[in-house]
Amino acid sequence: MFAAPLFLLGLAAAAIPLVLHLRRARHVRRITFSHTRFFDEAFIRSARRARIQDRLLMLLRMALICLFATALARPLLSVPGLGGLTGDRRTVAVILDDSASMSVVTERGVLLDRARDAALAALRDLSTTRGDRATLVLAGDRASGAQVLFDPPTTDLDGVRQAIRGTTPTGLATDLDAAVAAGRAALGQASGRRDIVVVSDLQASAFAPGAFEKADPSIGVCFVSVRPTETEGAGNVSIDAIRFGAARPMRAIPYTFRILITNHGTAPVQRAVQFVIGDEILARREETIEPGRSAIVRFVHRFAEPGWFAGRVGFDPAGQDGRDVQPADDERHFVVHVGAPLEVLAINGAPSRIPRHDELFFLRAALAAGEDGVGRPIVDQIAPTELTTELTTERLEKRPVVVLANVADLEPAQVALLERHVDDGGGLLIALGDRADAERYNQWVGDHRLHGGLLPARLGGRVAVESFVASIDSEHPVMAPFADGRLGYLSSVRVRERFDLVLRQGHDPEGVMMRDSDGRPLLVERRFGKGRVLLFATTVDRDWSDFPLQPAFVPTVYRLLTYLAGSGAGRADFAHTGQIVTLATSIHGAAAHRVVCPDGTVLFPEPPSDPSQRGMVVSTTEISGVYRVERVDAAGGSLVQLFCTNTPRRESRLDDADEATLREHVGDSNLVFIDDGTDIGAAMQTARTGRGLWEQLLIVALLVCLIEPWWANRLTARRGNAPKVATQAQSDSREAA
Amino acid sequence: MPEPTRYLKPEALARLKNLGLAARLVVEGLFAGQHKSPNRGFSIEFAEHRQYTPGIDPRHIDWKVLARRDKYYVKQYEEQTNLRCLLLLDASASMGYRDGGSMTKLEYACFCAASLAYLMQVQHDAFGLITCRERMEHYMPARQGHGHLRMLLERLESLEPRGRTSLPRALHEVAERLGRRALVVVLADLFSTDEGDGAKALIDALSHLRHRKHEVVVLQMLDPSELTFPFGDATQIEDMETNDVITADAEAVRRHYLESLDAYLGAIRSGCLSRGIGYALADTSEPFDRFLGAYLGRRHRLAMSRSA
């Protein structure tokens, strides 16, 4: 048995020395010589000996080529029990795929059950008395990397078997690259033979093409596929995604949920989708999905109260028609934070008795547009002269969004108050104007300020050059609807004057939401603790631009302020299982939070591994469901926010790779590929007892490589370095004369 | 008929003319020459008087002494003799071999013989030619004169390499046939066809000549290929004299061949040395005039050192 039998074609190259030898032997040159008096019996013996030596040399060269070709073909000696006879100690890393796709139910049972049997079969031939060791690596795509259960590998083989039996499917994706790497690291420099046995359904998305090509060849890798057959894998229907109708639901305003459902099977199916908030089933829709197509089911809900809500959408078993082999993707969770009516505290830097000359005239008008009386935004206005008395902590707690409109400057205490407010999750929009003092604003920036200061960018000089909005960040949740024109276009906005914004060192370039035709930033965002700050380079009235006169002004203002109002709620509502979820935290009391997992376990957020990043991270998110973040206090725990994780969509694609593709992905080197699910034990037996002979063959070939030139040189030297008869004879004869 | 001077290269002969041939031994000559003879006789230069005894030719009686003393005396002169040289040439088929050299061994030997003959003629020495193959085939007695040289050159011109060789047998025949002492110059490759004709048989034959008081010089002609055996790969080797064919990997058997050749040449060289026979090995890739010049110069220096 050979691991790479294609290299056996190289055996044909062994004919080259033979052909050369025969050609040389047949290519007889005939010469006429003056005499044959020295061609006696000894001469004949010498010629015969030379012929034998030449043939032996030819055989040696043929053997050399055969050895190399055979070694490259990686022969496996299949002699049961040979490992025991030779006393080789074995160390095996079993990589078990515990991803969501392993929960597929086929006619032969759950995939993970078959995988467990195969993994146990891989350990069957190991012996504790011989010193064999084993470890178990779970191949789910965890945030912390592949989970190695026994590191270093243990001789407690029963413990490893027990761990295999206790493995259950998770909602994780698969990362075989990381798992094999972890397996190799666990095997380390263990003595004896080292093997990695990968038991998985081998989804193509689980590893990168050619990931194992440059792997350590001294470690044998055996892939055991337990994937469902083509007929078994057919018939899966999955809920792939939930799309929200707006960035944030508001109290009493209808909010749309769009559910994306995909039929991966080969026949039309009918599904009943349930919409659940909390534990209450609020709606049910039936949908027929054509094979290979997706459908969107829409639910609209009006939240009566503000606050956090968790829900889910899933298939109703009662309305199920046709097969569905993958239960892990039949349900998807979501969380939403329902905001109260938008309440804005606006500091008007240029108030006027003439309404249209007032700095906030257009902003107030925009927030009042399309009002139906429900959820009316509240704009609380303060004049600069009242700041000392009116800008208080209590007032800021009631108004999460603050707008500075053409304000000349703030006192340091007022700046500190705003910093604290934003750090705790508030939003701040700074619009500039003719009264803004750039030098005073720039003093808000520096190491002496909280988080380095509020401003996303330093203010440069005023630029009175007409330009227009040239580009927006189409990926930003606020700007995205303007990229495709759903809410109008911003490209028609003309800017006559603005401040030059100088991005701060280390500022994320993606934080620039809007640029003008000169490529200069117009609207810049910065995260600040749990909140966000937006800096607009021009005015919010029509003094410096015609933006307030454009149709896109109203939705832009509304989306910007709504976005700022929801900044403290966290944005990790679309995390997938195994993902590291970052919780935005303020500078105060970050350590006093805990996270209650879907299964009821409690864990505590940790600081991020990168010290430059702020917030706290939750890295144990293997279970799909809703996670509850609580602030630990005397009452036991008050809700701070919710987030949820769902199984990645790629776990729903079960039939994405044939054997040729898999071979291309994993490479042929040192690889035993077993794809017969019906006889895993027998196939594993063959693979396991196959003893790699290539190293021994390469050693022999190396010895032959050393012998061949030595012998060939010796023969050449003996034949070529004959005594120089003529010179010596002539010299002697002259002396004799 | 054109002048048969094919083997007389003027530049070669010009070089040889200034060297002279210094014989190791004084031999009897037909004509007075530059070589002193131990025999007193009748010649030009007076040596002494001796009392007349009956039997001496009355022409040699010194009549002046008879008139003064009334006694019969005869004049004795110190006689000068010429060299009597016989060039013995092997004309067998093997002498026609040429691979690495500029000419065949026979051509090379003919050039050497012609040069030596011309030199003899200039020195008023007698020279002759003997050709042999399995036996002695042609004998041209030693004589002087330009006409004789012309005949010798014509003979050399007409030589063709053919037939087998049995040089020892030919040498024995020559030894039996030559009456007077002479300088015998053997020009051959010394390879005989018969299995038994090894180095010992050859040395015995040369000793036979020495036994007859002849001065013997052996000039062995070999082609460079015979000295180095430069052949490679599988080779069929055909004997030029016997037409026997042997197949062998020439490269593989080169060492054996060269070792055997070395032993053979060593035996000949030591045999010649022990019996006072001059010996030189000529590589036919070397210009023959250079070879002859070097050899004769060495002989001359040797003779001068002995006479001193």
Side-chain angles (χ1 to χ4, degrees), chain A residues 650-665:
Chain A
R650 60 177 185 266
E651 288 299 300
S652 301
R653 294 191 289 270
L654 307 175
D655 53 349
D656 54 354
D658 55 12
E659 183 170 333
T661 306
L662 292 172
R663 284 196 176 280
E664 181 187 349
H665 278 51

Side-chain angles (χ1 to χ4, degrees), chain A residues 30-50:
Chain A
R30 190 182 182 98
I31 62 169
T32 304
F33 201 58
S34 57
H35 65 97
T36 55
R37 64 173 299 115
F38 301 135
F39 300 165
D40 52 7
E41 279 301 317
F43 173 87
I44 300 300
R45 280 199 302 274
S46 173
R48 194 175 298 136
R49 187 168 59 245

